[in-house]
Structures are given as C-alpha cells and as structure tokens.
Amino acid sequence: MREIRRDDDGALLGYLRPVGDAWQPLTVFGYPLGEPRPDEEAAEEVHRSGLSVLGEPWLFLQEGRWHRCVILEADEQEVRVRPTGHDYPHDVYALTLERPGPDTFRPE
C-alpha cells in the first residue's frame, strides 16, 4: 500500500492499494473510498474525501444489529467510535473496533 499525505503538514489522508493495473483509494483504516481507478484519480479521491468521510455518521455491527456512531480516532489498526443511536443497548462512551471492514463497519 502507498500512503497519501497532505502536502502542507504531512498528515496521513489514506492509502492507495494496487489492484491489477489500477489503484484502490482507502481511508486511514483501509475502508474503500470507491472503485479502483488510475493512480492520479485514486490519489485525488483520497485527497478529496480521505479525512472528510471520517466526520460523517457510520454504522457498526454488533450482536447482529447495526448501530449508528461517530468516529473519534482512526488508524490502520483500529477505529475508536462513539455510539450515537438511541437504540444502542450498552452504556459506554466509546469502543474500539479492530481492523473493521465493510462487513462490520460502513458509512451510514
């Protein structure tokens, strides 16, 4: 995988993963930001939405049900989230999801 960083301060925006002759744009925790595409287009997608998508509502799967949350922190190994749905049955401020993927974690 190839890191994509912001030019002015070096902040990690996401990654590009090679897929055949194309590149898959990914968030900092490896969630796809779209379909594989040419190198420059994939890098532009990471610059455009790599960080902004982290501020949007997400859903995580727990005990067979999807729950609404916001991302508090994220890196390549884990995502720390705060459940925001009124139907979440546990009294916690935040929880950590290790290596979440599309089967267990997705944008709302």
Side-chain angles (χ1 to χ4, degrees):
M1 285 204 304
R2 191 171 95 210
E3 291 183 351
I4 300 296
R5 293 189 172 270
R6 197 164 39 205
D7 293 333
D8 59 347
D9 64 0
L12 180 64
L13 302 175
Y15 297 96
L16 296 183
R17 177 178 52 210
V19 179
D21 291 338
W23 293 86
Q24 173 92 54
L26 305 169
T27 65
V28 295
F29 57 92
Y31 194 90
L33 290 169
E35 297 299 317
R37 56 192 82 176
D39 182 14
E40 190 172 308
E41 289 179 28
E44 286 175 13
E45 182 62 34
V46 173
H47 277 279
R48 182 175 38 259
S49 61
L51 291 183
S52 65
V53 71
L54 302 180
E56 297 173 5
W58 286 71
L59 299 170
F60 69 96
L61 184 64
Q62 188 179 59
E63 299 170 355
R65 294 187 59 205
W66 289 96
H67 301 282
R68 191 170 200 227
C69 67
V70 294
I71 295 174
L72 300 174
E73 299 174 55
D75 63 32
E76 65 276 357
Q77 299 297 317
E78 60 189 29
V79 179
R80 188 153 172 80
V81 300
R82 182 173 55 85
T84 58
H86 299 321
D87 62 341
Y88 187 67
H90 307 288
D91 187 24
V92 297
Y93 174 76
L95 56 118
T96 300
L97 309 173
E98 294 183 22
R99 295 191 166 272
D103 293 341
T104 60
F105 192 59
R106 64 182 185 210
E108 184 175 49

